[in-house]
Amino acid sequence: MTESNLFNSIQSYGWVSIAIHWLSFLMAAFIFGIGLYMVELTYYDTLYNVLPEWHKAVGLMLGVLTLIRLLWVAFNVSPAFEGESGLQAVLARIAHFLLYCLIIVLTFSGYIIVTADGSDLQLFGHAWLGALFELTSDQAEWAGRAHRWIAYGFAALVVLHATAALYHHLFHHDNTLKRMLFPQSIENGD
């Protein structure tokens, strides 16, 4: 791995962007999966206290990783869009923007939910962040519903994003998917 492979080029994403992308995907899939599972748990389930801790911890890490990713995107070149039309490029940019925004909104709304009673954000028994404000029970319930529905919207957008990448790979035979897997696959003509 050379230093030039770490950074993006006009043709391809670098290893840092690729690693952040796939780590973000794994974290988001994990959070979404346990989020779906844990809302059905009862007090007597063995995972009743464990899964929310993991959901909060990984959610906070994903929020921080997304902020790092936004800085990385701001200071790196973005590969040129491969597609048939300018409309596809605009839609791809909108989808990426929405994915970033939704991760930030989900992180913040999760934080609001767990600090709704005015207590600190606790992770594995340690205080991490203080509450910004206290919510009424109705406001906390509304925040929980919003968090859930935003998560569903985020998951749908992830599926659309993956479908678009597979569509480009299978039907247009372009490098949209390949360049998010290996930086040199484009540059070396593989």
Side-chain angles (χ1 to χ4, degrees), residues 2-143:
T2 67
E3 183 180 326
S4 63
N5 287 345
L6 292 175
F7 299 96
N8 298 345
S9 70
I10 293 297
Q11 297 84 22
S12 178
Y13 291 100
W15 283 116
V16 172
S17 291
I18 292 168
I20 291 172
H21 175 271
W22 291 108
L23 182 58
S24 296
F25 168 73
L26 291 173
M27 292 169 86
F30 177 77
I31 294 165
F32 187 76
I34 65 172
L36 284 176
Y37 185 75
M38 74 182 189
V39 296
E40 301 298 325
L41 294 177
T42 66
Y43 180 77
Y44 298 103
D45 286 304
T46 57
L47 297 175
Y48 180 79
N49 291 314
V50 175
L51 289 184
E53 289 297 307
W54 283 102
H55 187 82
K56 290 186 300 186
V58 177
L60 184 60
M61 287 188 289
L62 179 58
V64 170
L65 182 62
T66 301
L67 294 176
I68 292 168
R69 183 180 194 168
L70 290 171
L71 286 172
W72 185 256
V73 167
F75 293 105
N76 273 274
V77 65
S78 292
F81 177 74
E82 292 193 21
E84 294 178 351
S85 70
L87 177 62
Q88 285 183 353
V90 169
L91 292 174
R93 284 186 179 85
I94 290 170
H96 284 111
F97 175 77
L98 288 174
L99 286 167
Y100 296 143
C101 287
L102 291 175
I103 290 172
I104 299 301
V105 168
L106 284 166
T107 303
F108 186 70
S109 65
Y111 162 75
I112 294 300
I113 292 164
V114 299
T115 61
D117 63 356
S119 61
D120 294 341
L121 168 65
Q122 298 276 326
L123 292 176
F124 304 107
H126 301 286
W128 281 73
L129 295 170
L132 293 176
F133 42 78
E134 196 169 329
L135 300 178
T136 66
S137 60
D138 287 343
Q139 291 170 329
E141 188 176 320
W142 184 88

Side-chain angles (χ1 to χ4, degrees), residues 112-185:
I112 294 300
I113 292 164
V114 299
T115 61
D117 63 356
S119 61
D120 294 341
L121 168 65
Q122 298 276 326
L123 292 176
F124 304 107
H126 301 286
W128 281 73
L129 295 170
L132 293 176
F133 42 78
E134 196 169 329
L135 300 178
T136 66
S137 60
D138 287 343
Q139 291 170 329
E141 188 176 320
W142 184 88
R145 282 195 306 270
H147 185 77
R148 178 183 291 181
W149 286 104
I150 293 167
Y152 291 150
F154 175 75
L157 191 55
V158 167
V159 169
L160 179 66
H161 176 68
T163 302
L166 288 171
Y167 171 79
H168 275 273
H169 184 73
L170 297 172
F171 296 103
H172 290 286
H173 306 290
D174 64 24
N175 294 311
T176 299
L177 180 61
K178 287 181 189 176
R179 66 187 184 180
M180 190 43 81
L181 297 174
F182 304 102
Q184 293 186 325
S185 64

